[in-house]
């Protein structure tokens, strides 16, 4: 596990993005070390099938439901939050998540990534265009760690380019977790 530094200077464990794909049975299985996995290949869809913002939130949220990371009620709360404030982050990325009131519907910290070949109109006016929808669910304040990590990935031009060129879940996963890339020989 990598160590990173928080804003206050204290060190904390970086996210355990990847799982041992030889042991992952599709339900967000723990890694070989027993750690909970934040991003599994089963939580990545390339390409996404949604045609609009609502469907995209549903598609990304349903991946987390299928992995038993959240209850379906959390997906509904993601829609409610989006109606209040857009989760568009820039760089063609939206990060839908629910409000604190929906935390009881989270079973474990996790995220899903859906990449769209055709950008989806996002926001009230549809002016923003989204190619990546990353649904997050964090226990306690872990959603802040996820948002920070996602921001770091998309802040780097090389990683954005690699994500844009990715054609399979394992290629997306390798961008989020460079250690996974080395293990898999990608």
């Amino acid at each position: 596990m990598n160590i990173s530094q928080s804003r206050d200077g204290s060190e904390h464990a970086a996210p355990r993005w990847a799982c041992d794909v030889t042991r992952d049975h599709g339900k967000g299985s723990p890694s070989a070390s027993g750690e909970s996995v934040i991003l599994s290949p089963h939580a990545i869809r390339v390409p996404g099938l949604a045609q609009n913002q609502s469907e995209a939130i549903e598609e990304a949220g349903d991946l987390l439901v299928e992995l038993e990371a959240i209850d379906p009620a959390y997906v509904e709360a993601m829609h409610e939050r989006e109606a209040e404030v857009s989760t568009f982050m820039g760089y063609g990325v939206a990060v839908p998540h629910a409000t604190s009131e929906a935390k009881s519907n989270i079973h474990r910290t996790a995220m899903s990534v859906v990449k769209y070949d055709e950008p989806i109109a996002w926001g009230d006016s549809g002016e923003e265009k989204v190619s990546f929808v990353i649904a997050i669910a964090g226990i306690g304040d872990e959603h802040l760690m996820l948002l920070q990590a996602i921001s770091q990935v998309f802040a780097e031009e090389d990683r954005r380019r690699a994500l844009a060129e990715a054609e399979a879940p394992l290629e997306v996963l390798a961008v989020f977790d460079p250690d996974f890339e080395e293990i898999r020989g990608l």
Side-chain angles (χ1 to χ4, degrees):
M1 182 177 290
N2 299 327
I3 301 294
S4 60
Q5 210 166 26
S6 63
R7 283 186 230 166
D8 66 3
S10 63
E11 290 185 346
H12 64 279
R16 172 70 183 170
W17 295 113
C19 58
D20 178 348
V21 293
T22 63
R23 297 173 189 249
D24 182 27
H25 301 291
K27 297 288 186 192
S29 304
S31 65
S33 66
E35 297 173 278
S36 183
V37 174
I38 291 172
L39 181 60
S40 158
H42 301 286
I44 302 171
R45 182 166 293 155
V46 179
L49 305 174
Q51 299 294 309
N52 59 50
Q53 176 178 314
S54 180
E55 290 176 3
I57 292 170
E58 215 48 50
E59 184 170 26
D62 285 350
L63 288 171
L64 295 179
V65 171
E66 290 169 16
L67 294 173
E68 299 174 358
I70 62 172
D71 292 329
Y74 187 84
V75 179
E76 288 305 314
M78 290 166 60
H79 285 286
E80 292 168 12
R81 180 186 193 97
E82 198 67 44
E84 294 172 11
V85 62
S86 177
T87 57
F88 179 76
M89 285 183 56
Y91 295 116
V93 180
V95 185
H97 55 287
T99 59
S100 297
E101 291 78 27
K103 291 268 188 195
S104 63
N105 295 300
I106 300 173
H107 303 290
R108 64 180 178 82
T109 297
M111 63 183 261
S112 65
V113 178
V114 183
K115 178 187 175 197
Y116 295 97
D117 290 338
E118 294 295 322
I120 292 181
W122 206 267
D124 290 337
S125 64
E127 290 179 16
E128 307 297 349
K129 300 299 180 208
V130 169
S131 295
F132 292 91
V133 175
I134 304 173
I136 64 169
I139 292 179
D141 287 338
E142 289 182 342
H143 66 287
L144 299 174
M145 176 256 319
L146 293 176
L147 288 168
Q148 179 183 18
I150 293 164
S151 295
Q152 289 172 348
V153 167
F154 281 91
E156 297 178 27
E157 186 176 343
D158 289 346
R159 292 170 98 179
R160 287 194 311 270
R161 186 179 311 105
L163 284 169
E165 295 171 358
E167 295 180 0
L170 294 179
E171 293 173 7
V172 171
L173 188 55
V175 174
F176 278 91
D177 186 352
D179 293 335
F180 179 78
E181 182 176 275
E182 290 173 21
I183 293 166
R184 299 293 299 168
L186 297 175

